[in-house]
Amino acid sequence: MTNVVRSFADALALALPTAPTPTNPANDNVRRRLEDFRSALTAVDHTDISDVDPSSLPDEAQAWLQSAIDGAQGAPGVVRAARDATTAGSWYQIYESGSASGHSASEPREALTGGMFAAQMIGSRGLVRSDTLLAGLFLLGPGLHYPLHQHPATEIYFGVSGEICIQHGLDGEPQALSPGEVSLTPSNRLHALTVGVSPVLLLYCWLGQLGGRQWWWRQDSEGHWHRDAYERTARASWERTASEAVPADVLARL
């Protein structure tokens, strides 16, 4: 399994310096920030192996994954590494249903249950342990919309299959990310994801503060913005821990 993770990390690190970055504003200084991810990927200790058993996806999601792998494009090394990782990792549903998590059916997370899955290669629940880097596969179902949210970690997505639109900022124009391209989301930047008619498979990485609150934004009928904070529990489920009107100083900085 460590060979699979090493190939995954090496292929992504090799692809990052030259991958197009169509979803990022020009002033993001993406190349410098991607170098931080490349360095982290090449520095992973592949001897710190976790005892993780591979797990399968529900039938519908497995069909999405197969379609995504069949349609994978880009550098052969990345495609091969992604294909190998799909059967080595332990897949899990990112957001549980309300009956399991205690969330009400009206919460926006409910719309995402059954539509978003991950297989972590590197991290606290990955095949190789790391407390400073998360990396793996991210599978999103057709037509899914992941609404405006923010988190402390800096994040990258590397396209493998399908097309996804990524919005940066409250009023940002969504931009398409295609296979072979990379998107970087700086720490605490507001962003949203929208999938088209085909499933999407991404490679993802997180650096920085890997835990902490995720803020989800919503707009009321009068146009005022509010946000809800969610945090992972010891059972790895998500719980809402705070709700507030978005502070004026936060809106002013956007």
Side-chain angles (χ1 to χ4, degrees), residues 28-68:
D28 269 350
N29 199 1
V30 175
R31 290 300 167 199
R32 179 183 62 79
R33 297 182 186 215
L34 288 178
E35 178 61 23
D36 294 337
F37 282 89
R38 192 199 65 78
S39 296
L41 287 162
T42 56
V44 170
D45 179 6
H46 291 278
T47 64
D48 193 359
I49 305 169
S50 296
D51 185 17
V52 177
D53 294 326
S55 63
S56 59
L57 291 160
D59 289 346
E60 183 178 35
Q62 185 61 48
W64 297 338
L65 179 60
Q66 187 60 56
S67 174

Short mmCIF file of all heavy atoms in Angstrom, two decimals, residues 28-68:
data_model
loop_
_atom_site.label_atom_id
_atom_site.label_comp_id
_atom_site.label_asym_id
_atom_site.label_seq_id
_atom_site.Cartn_x
_atom_site.Cartn_y
_atom_site.Cartn_z
N ASP A 28 -3.32 35.75 -6.84
CA ASP A 28 -3.24 34.71 -5.82
C ASP A 28 -1.82 34.15 -5.62
O ASP A 28 -1.59 33.39 -4.68
CB ASP A 28 -4.18 33.54 -6.15
CG ASP A 28 -5.55 33.73 -5.53
OD1 ASP A 28 -5.71 34.65 -4.70
OD2 ASP A 28 -6.46 32.95 -5.88
N ASN A 29 -0.91 34.46 -6.52
CA ASN A 29 0.46 33.94 -6.43
C ASN A 29 0.44 32.42 -6.28
O ASN A 29 1.07 31.85 -5.37
CB ASN A 29 1.21 34.59 -5.25
CG ASN A 29 2.71 34.46 -5.38
OD1 ASN A 29 3.22 33.89 -6.36
ND2 ASN A 29 3.43 34.94 -4.39
N VAL A 30 -0.29 31.77 -7.17
CA VAL A 30 -0.54 30.34 -7.05
C VAL A 30 0.75 29.53 -7.13
O VAL A 30 0.94 28.56 -6.38
CB VAL A 30 -1.53 29.87 -8.14
CG1 VAL A 30 -1.70 28.36 -8.09
CG2 VAL A 30 -2.87 30.55 -7.94
N ARG A 31 1.66 29.89 -8.01
CA ARG A 31 2.86 29.08 -8.20
C ARG A 31 3.67 28.96 -6.92
O ARG A 31 4.18 27.89 -6.58
CB ARG A 31 3.72 29.68 -9.32
CG ARG A 31 3.10 29.55 -10.70
CD ARG A 31 2.88 28.09 -11.08
NE ARG A 31 2.03 27.96 -12.24
CZ ARG A 31 1.38 26.85 -12.58
NH1 ARG A 31 1.49 25.77 -11.83
NH2 ARG A 31 0.62 26.81 -13.65
N ARG A 32 3.81 30.06 -6.21
CA ARG A 32 4.57 30.01 -4.96
C ARG A 32 3.87 29.12 -3.95
O ARG A 32 4.50 28.32 -3.25
CB ARG A 32 4.74 31.42 -4.37
CG ARG A 32 5.50 31.44 -3.04
CD ARG A 32 5.58 32.82 -2.46
NE ARG A 32 4.27 33.36 -2.14
CZ ARG A 32 3.58 33.03 -1.04
NH1 ARG A 32 4.05 32.12 -0.20
NH2 ARG A 32 2.40 33.57 -0.81
N ARG A 33 2.57 29.22 -3.86
CA ARG A 33 1.81 28.42 -2.88
C ARG A 33 1.81 26.95 -3.26
O ARG A 33 1.84 26.07 -2.39
CB ARG A 33 0.38 28.94 -2.77
CG ARG A 33 0.31 30.37 -2.26
CD ARG A 33 -1.13 30.82 -2.11
NE ARG A 33 -1.21 32.23 -1.76
CZ ARG A 33 -2.14 32.73 -0.96
NH1 ARG A 33 -3.04 31.95 -0.42
NH2 ARG A 33 -2.17 34.03 -0.70
N LEU A 34 1.77 26.65 -4.56
CA LEU A 34 1.82 25.25 -4.98
C LEU A 34 3.15 24.62 -4.63
O LEU A 34 3.23 23.41 -4.40
CB LEU A 34 1.56 25.14 -6.49
CG LEU A 34 0.13 25.40 -6.96
CD1 LEU A 34 0.06 25.29 -8.48
CD2 LEU A 34 -0.86 24.45 -6.30
N GLU A 35 4.20 25.42 -4.57
CA GLU A 35 5.51 24.88 -4.17
C GLU A 35 5.46 24.36 -2.74
O GLU A 35 6.12 23.37 -2.41
CB GLU A 35 6.58 25.96 -4.32
CG GLU A 35 7.97 25.53 -3.89
CD GLU A 35 8.51 24.35 -4.70
OE1 GLU A 35 8.05 24.13 -5.84
OE2 GLU A 35 9.42 23.65 -4.18
N ASP A 36 4.66 25.00 -1.88
CA ASP A 36 4.50 24.50 -0.51
C ASP A 36 3.88 23.11 -0.51
O ASP A 36 4.28 22.22 0.26
CB ASP A 36 3.62 25.44 0.31
CG ASP A 36 4.26 26.80 0.54
OD1 ASP A 36 5.50 26.88 0.47
OD2 ASP A 36 3.52 27.77 0.78
N PHE A 37 2.89 22.90 -1.37
CA PHE A 37 2.26 21.58 -1.47
C PHE A 37 3.22 20.55 -2.06
O PHE A 37 3.27 19.41 -1.60
CB PHE A 37 0.99 21.67 -2.32
CG PHE A 37 -0.19 22.24 -1.59
CD1 PHE A 37 -0.43 23.60 -1.60
CD2 PHE A 37 -1.06 21.42 -0.89
CE1 PHE A 37 -1.51 24.14 -0.92
CE2 PHE A 37 -2.13 21.95 -0.20
CZ PHE A 37 -2.37 23.31 -0.22
N ARG A 38 3.97 20.96 -3.08
CA ARG A 38 4.92 20.03 -3.68
C ARG A 38 5.95 19.59 -2.64
O ARG A 38 6.28 18.40 -2.54
CB ARG A 38 5.62 20.70 -4.88
CG ARG A 38 6.40 19.72 -5.75
CD ARG A 38 7.41 20.46 -6.60
NE ARG A 38 8.44 21.09 -5.78
CZ ARG A 38 9.46 20.43 -5.23
NH1 ARG A 38 9.60 19.12 -5.42
NH2 ARG A 38 10.33 21.07 -4.49
N SER A 39 6.43 20.53 -1.86
CA SER A 39 7.42 20.20 -0.83
C SER A 39 6.84 19.27 0.22
O SER A 39 7.50 18.32 0.67
CB SER A 39 7.93 21.49 -0.16
OG SER A 39 8.61 22.31 -1.09
N ALA A 40 5.59 19.52 0.63
CA ALA A 40 4.95 18.67 1.63
C ALA A 40 4.74 17.25 1.11
O ALA A 40 4.94 16.27 1.84
CB ALA A 40 3.62 19.29 2.06
N LEU A 41 4.35 17.13 -0.14
CA LEU A 41 4.12 15.81 -0.73
C LEU A 41 5.42 15.01 -0.82
O LEU A 41 5.44 13.80 -0.57
CB LEU A 41 3.49 15.94 -2.11
CG LEU A 41 2.02 16.36 -2.14
CD1 LEU A 41 1.63 16.88 -3.52
CD2 LEU A 41 1.12 15.19 -1.74
N THR A 42 6.51 15.66 -1.18
CA THR A 42 7.78 14.95 -1.33
C THR A 42 8.42 14.64 0.02
O THR A 42 9.31 13.79 0.10
CB THR A 42 8.77 15.77 -2.18
OG1 THR A 42 8.94 17.07 -1.59
CG2 THR A 42 8.24 15.94 -3.60
N ALA A 43 7.96 15.31 1.09
CA ALA A 43 8.55 15.10 2.42
C ALA A 43 7.79 14.08 3.26
O ALA A 43 8.16 13.82 4.40
CB ALA A 43 8.62 16.43 3.17
N VAL A 44 6.74 13.48 2.72
CA VAL A 44 5.92 12.54 3.49
C VAL A 44 6.76 11.34 3.92
O VAL A 44 7.53 10.77 3.13
CB VAL A 44 4.71 12.07 2.65
CG1 VAL A 44 3.99 10.91 3.33
CG2 VAL A 44 3.75 13.23 2.45
N ASP A 45 6.60 10.95 5.19
CA ASP A 45 7.27 9.77 5.73
C ASP A 45 6.43 8.53 5.40
O ASP A 45 5.42 8.26 6.04
CB ASP A 45 7.43 9.92 7.25
CG ASP A 45 8.10 8.70 7.88
OD1 ASP A 45 8.54 7.79 7.13
OD2 ASP A 45 8.18 8.66 9.13
N HIS A 46 6.86 7.78 4.40
CA HIS A 46 6.07 6.64 3.94
C HIS A 46 6.27 5.40 4.81
O HIS A 46 5.72 4.34 4.52
CB HIS A 46 6.42 6.33 2.48
CG HIS A 46 5.94 7.38 1.53
ND1 HIS A 46 4.65 7.43 1.06
CD2 HIS A 46 6.59 8.45 0.99
CE1 HIS A 46 4.52 8.47 0.24
NE2 HIS A 46 5.68 9.11 0.19
N THR A 47 7.05 5.52 5.88
CA THR A 47 7.19 4.39 6.81
C THR A 47 6.14 4.44 7.92
O THR A 47 5.98 3.47 8.65
CB THR A 47 8.59 4.40 7.46
OG1 THR A 47 8.76 5.58 8.25
CG2 THR A 47 9.67 4.34 6.39
N ASP A 48 5.43 5.58 8.05
CA ASP A 48 4.40 5.71 9.10
C ASP A 48 3.08 5.19 8.54
O ASP A 48 2.21 5.96 8.11
CB ASP A 48 4.29 7.16 9.54
CG ASP A 48 3.48 7.32 10.82
OD1 ASP A 48 3.01 6.29 11.34
OD2 ASP A 48 3.33 8.45 11.29
N ILE A 49 2.93 3.88 8.53
CA ILE A 49 1.80 3.23 7.87
C ILE A 49 0.65 3.05 8.85
O ILE A 49 0.84 2.68 10.01
CB ILE A 49 2.23 1.86 7.31
CG1 ILE A 49 3.44 2.03 6.38
CG2 ILE A 49 1.08 1.19 6.58
CD1 ILE A 49 4.08 0.71 6.00
N SER A 50 -0.57 3.32 8.39
CA SER A 50 -1.77 3.13 9.20
C SER A 50 -2.40 1.79 8.89
O SER A 50 -2.27 1.26 7.78
CB SER A 50 -2.78 4.25 8.93
OG SER A 50 -2.28 5.50 9.32
N ASP A 51 -3.10 1.27 9.86
CA ASP A 51 -3.83 0.02 9.69
C ASP A 51 -5.24 0.33 9.21
O ASP A 51 -6.18 0.45 9.98
CB ASP A 51 -3.87 -0.74 11.02
CG ASP A 51 -4.51 -2.12 10.87
OD1 ASP A 51 -4.61 -2.59 9.72
OD2 ASP A 51 -4.92 -2.69 11.91
N VAL A 52 -5.37 0.53 7.88
CA VAL A 52 -6.64 0.90 7.28
C VAL A 52 -7.03 -0.15 6.26
O VAL A 52 -6.26 -0.47 5.36
CB VAL A 52 -6.54 2.28 6.59
CG1 VAL A 52 -7.85 2.62 5.90
CG2 VAL A 52 -6.20 3.36 7.62
N ASP A 53 -8.24 -0.67 6.41
CA ASP A 53 -8.73 -1.66 5.45
C ASP A 53 -9.47 -0.96 4.31
O ASP A 53 -10.29 -0.07 4.56
CB ASP A 53 -9.68 -2.64 6.14
CG ASP A 53 -8.97 -3.50 7.16
OD1 ASP A 53 -7.80 -3.83 6.94
OD2 ASP A 53 -9.60 -3.83 8.19
N PRO A 54 -9.19 -1.34 3.06
CA PRO A 54 -9.94 -0.75 1.94
C PRO A 54 -11.44 -0.99 2.11
O PRO A 54 -11.86 -2.03 2.62
CB PRO A 54 -9.38 -1.50 0.72
CG PRO A 54 -8.05 -2.01 1.16
CD PRO A 54 -8.19 -2.32 2.62
N SER A 55 -12.24 -0.03 1.71
CA SER A 55 -13.69 -0.19 1.78
C SER A 55 -14.30 0.27 0.47
O SER A 55 -13.75 1.12 -0.23
CB SER A 55 -14.27 0.62 2.94
OG SER A 55 -14.05 2.00 2.75
N SER A 56 -15.45 -0.30 0.14
CA SER A 56 -16.08 -0.02 -1.14
C SER A 56 -17.12 1.09 -1.00
O SER A 56 -17.49 1.50 0.10
CB SER A 56 -16.75 -1.29 -1.68
OG SER A 56 -17.71 -1.76 -0.76
N LEU A 57 -17.58 1.57 -2.14
CA LEU A 57 -18.59 2.61 -2.21
C LEU A 57 -19.98 2.00 -2.40
O LEU A 57 -20.11 0.87 -2.87
CB LEU A 57 -18.29 3.52 -3.40
CG LEU A 57 -17.05 4.41 -3.29
CD1 LEU A 57 -16.62 4.87 -4.67
CD2 LEU A 57 -17.34 5.60 -2.40
N PRO A 58 -21.04 2.74 -2.06
CA PRO A 58 -22.39 2.30 -2.44
C PRO A 58 -22.47 2.13 -3.96
O PRO A 58 -21.68 2.71 -4.71
CB PRO A 58 -23.28 3.46 -1.96
CG PRO A 58 -22.49 4.15 -0.91
CD PRO A 58 -21.04 4.00 -1.31
N ASP A 59 -23.45 1.35 -4.41
CA ASP A 59 -23.52 0.99 -5.83
C ASP A 59 -23.55 2.21 -6.75
O ASP A 59 -22.84 2.25 -7.77
CB ASP A 59 -24.76 0.13 -6.09
CG ASP A 59 -24.61 -1.27 -5.48
OD1 ASP A 59 -23.48 -1.64 -5.12
OD2 ASP A 59 -25.64 -1.97 -5.37
N GLU A 60 -24.36 3.22 -6.42
CA GLU A 60 -24.47 4.38 -7.30
C GLU A 60 -23.14 5.13 -7.37
O GLU A 60 -22.68 5.51 -8.45
CB GLU A 60 -25.56 5.32 -6.81
CG GLU A 60 -25.77 6.53 -7.73
CD GLU A 60 -26.90 7.44 -7.25
OE1 GLU A 60 -27.07 7.59 -6.02
OE2 GLU A 60 -27.61 8.00 -8.11
N ALA A 61 -22.51 5.32 -6.21
CA ALA A 61 -21.23 6.02 -6.18
C ALA A 61 -20.13 5.21 -6.87
O ALA A 61 -19.23 5.76 -7.51
CB ALA A 61 -20.84 6.33 -4.74
N GLN A 62 -20.20 3.88 -6.76
CA GLN A 62 -19.23 3.03 -7.44
C GLN A 62 -19.36 3.19 -8.96
O GLN A 62 -18.35 3.21 -9.68
CB GLN A 62 -19.44 1.56 -7.06
CG GLN A 62 -18.40 0.60 -7.63
CD GLN A 62 -17.00 0.91 -7.17
OE1 GLN A 62 -16.76 1.09 -5.98
NE2 GLN A 62 -16.05 0.96 -8.10
N ALA A 63 -20.59 3.36 -9.43
CA ALA A 63 -20.80 3.59 -10.87
C ALA A 63 -20.23 4.95 -11.28
O ALA A 63 -19.65 5.08 -12.36
CB ALA A 63 -22.29 3.52 -11.19
N TRP A 64 -20.38 5.96 -10.42
CA TRP A 64 -19.77 7.27 -10.71
C TRP A 64 -18.25 7.14 -10.80
O TRP A 64 -17.63 7.69 -11.70
CB TRP A 64 -20.09 8.27 -9.61
CG TRP A 64 -21.52 8.62 -9.43
CD1 TRP A 64 -22.52 8.49 -10.36
CD2 TRP A 64 -22.13 9.17 -8.27
NE1 TRP A 64 -23.70 8.92 -9.84
CE2 TRP A 64 -23.50 9.35 -8.56
CE3 TRP A 64 -21.66 9.53 -7.00
CZ2 TRP A 64 -24.39 9.88 -7.61
CZ3 TRP A 64 -22.52 10.05 -6.08
CH2 TRP A 64 -23.88 10.22 -6.38
N LEU A 65 -17.68 6.41 -9.85
CA LEU A 65 -16.23 6.27 -9.82
C LEU A 65 -15.73 5.55 -11.06
O LEU A 65 -14.73 5.95 -11.67
CB LEU A 65 -15.81 5.52 -8.56
CG LEU A 65 -14.31 5.27 -8.39
CD1 LEU A 65 -13.54 6.58 -8.35
CD2 LEU A 65 -14.04 4.44 -7.14
N GLN A 66 -16.43 4.49 -11.47
CA GLN A 66 -16.01 3.76 -12.65
C GLN A 66 -16.09 4.64 -13.89
O GLN A 66 -15.19 4.64 -14.74
CB GLN A 66 -16.88 2.52 -12.84
CG GLN A 66 -16.40 1.60 -13.96
CD GLN A 66 -15.00 1.08 -13.70
OE1 GLN A 66 -14.73 0.48 -12.66
NE2 GLN A 66 -14.07 1.33 -14.64
N SER A 67 -17.16 5.43 -13.98
CA SER A 67 -17.31 6.35 -15.11
C SER A 67 -16.19 7.38 -15.11
O SER A 67 -15.63 7.71 -16.17
CB SER A 67 -18.67 7.06 -15.02
OG SER A 67 -18.79 8.05 -16.01
N ALA A 68 -15.84 7.88 -13.91
CA ALA A 68 -14.78 8.88 -13.81
C ALA A 68 -13.43 8.30 -14.20
O ALA A 68 -12.65 8.94 -14.92
CB ALA A 68 -14.73 9.44 -12.40
#
